[in-house]
Amino acid sequence: LACEPADLYSMKPDGTQREKVYTFEEGLTIEKTILNDDNGLYFIAKELKSEKKDANTTSISSEGRRLLRVDIDSWKEEKICDMEQDRGIVGCYENQLLLSYMQYDHELTEEEKDDDDKMREALLASESVYMLFDVESGEKKEIYRHKNDKLGNLFSKGQYLYIANEGEDIIWKMDIETGKKEEFCKTPYNNLNDIYDDVLICWPWGSDDNGVLTDPINYFIHLDD
């Protein structure tokens, strides 16, 4: 499987002075999550492996994932750590990354993974686990988990998590440092879609059989009031 190297560009906010500043290693795919600190950018990179199953079927899988940091002064890359396949980055807090992964009630067999009905049962019995990962020490600390028998979502901003579950009509606010969870606001429009600056962007939960929102309206909730 041929994979063109990914390029990183620098430009002014209006799109002018576009300049290529870095090219990643050939064969790496860069995931969409990008984080930053004062003088560096963080990327998740993975190697793709192609395996021919039969004459008509080719399977593509991820061979390995790693967390990379590119210094924006020198444009040099360093590997921070390897990342397990099922880990995702939700956000960051100080020098820690907020990671998420799915925890099943048993180790899934390949047969279960390939069976849609069995996989659905396994997902409904699973939990989404969120943990802090210190990029300097490698220390991990679980801070929250959610049972996946009902829909829910979560966003982070600074020291706080904003959490919502379908049917509760509440958005919760949790302090990452203390673990204290309290009601942030009451609203039926608590399907968290995004967080930008000091605003939560929310949707209603209802959707049709294809997952299309039946009431596709954005609601904006300010974090300060």
Side-chain angles (χ1 to χ4, degrees):
L1 176 70
C3 182
E4 291 293 325
D7 294 321
L8 181 63
Y9 287 83
S10 171
M11 69 185 76
K12 297 186 71 173
D14 63 2
T16 61
Q17 298 185 22
R18 179 182 172 94
E19 175 189 4
K20 185 193 294 186
V21 293
Y22 187 73
T23 298
F24 290 89
E25 178 185 330
E26 187 174 354
L28 287 183
T29 295
I30 307 301
E31 297 185 5
K32 66 179 182 179
T33 300
I34 302 173
L35 301 170
N36 71 287
D37 57 22
D38 290 340
N39 53 7
L41 298 170
Y42 293 85
F43 303 86
I44 300 177
K46 61 185 176 185
E47 300 175 40
L48 297 184
K49 178 183 177 183
S50 176
E51 180 182 355
K52 198 169 183 62
K53 296 286 189 180
D54 53 45
N56 300 314
T57 307
T58 299
S59 173
I60 300 175
S61 60
S62 177
E63 184 79 347
R65 297 170 82 224
R66 67 190 83 157
L67 179 64
L68 305 177
R69 180 180 182 278
V70 177
D71 188 284
I72 60 175
D73 293 322
S74 64
W75 298 115
K76 290 184 178 180
E77 173 194 309
E78 65 173 315
K79 176 182 173 181
I80 302 299
C81 64
D82 290 319
M83 290 196 68
E84 297 172 66
Q85 294 293 348
D86 61 347
R87 262 45 170 187
I89 297 180
V90 179
C92 55
Y93 172 59
E94 295 183 341
N95 66 330
Q96 301 173 96
L97 298 177
L98 178 59
L99 304 181
S100 68
Y101 70 95
M102 200 86 73
Q103 186 174 80
Y104 298 96
D105 61 357
H106 66 282
E107 186 174 349
L108 301 181
T109 65
E110 291 302 319
E111 178 186 357
E112 287 176 306
K113 294 177 183 178
D114 292 336
D115 187 303
D116 290 342
D117 291 333
K118 291 181 179 179
M119 195 64 206
R120 175 176 170 77
E121 291 177 8
L123 285 170
L124 290 173
S126 70
E127 293 183 312
S128 294
V129 181
Y130 299 86
M131 65 171 63
L132 286 174
F133 171 67
D134 191 303
V135 296
E136 294 181 359
S137 67
E139 181 181 351
K140 297 176 182 176
K141 177 186 175 183
E142 181 182 321
I143 58 171
Y144 180 73
R145 59 174 57 216
H146 167 78
K147 292 184 178 181
N148 292 320
D149 56 352
K150 61 180 178 180
L151 294 176
N153 46 32
L154 171 155
F155 280 92
S156 70
K157 179 71 174 180
Q159 191 174 330
Y160 299 100
L161 303 181
Y162 295 89
I163 303 162
N165 300 307
E166 185 180 21
E168 289 186 347
D169 292 351
I170 295 173
I171 297 175
W172 302 94
K173 180 180 180 180
M174 193 185 98
D175 190 312
I176 289 175
E177 290 283 357
T178 65
K180 182 182 178 182
K181 181 180 172 184
E182 61 185 9
E183 183 180 300
F184 172 60
C185 72
K186 289 186 177 180
T187 172
Y189 311 110
N190 68 329
N191 184 354
L192 308 183
N193 178 40
D194 206 348
I195 190 166
Y196 177 74
D197 201 6
D198 66 340
V199 173
L200 272 172
I201 304 172
C202 308
W203 288 343
W205 285 96
S207 60
D208 62 22
D209 293 339
N210 296 317
V212 179
L213 290 175
T214 52
D215 185 16
I217 300 174
N218 283 323
Y219 293 85
F220 300 91
I221 301 176
H222 289 264
L223 299 181
D224 58 359
D225 61 9

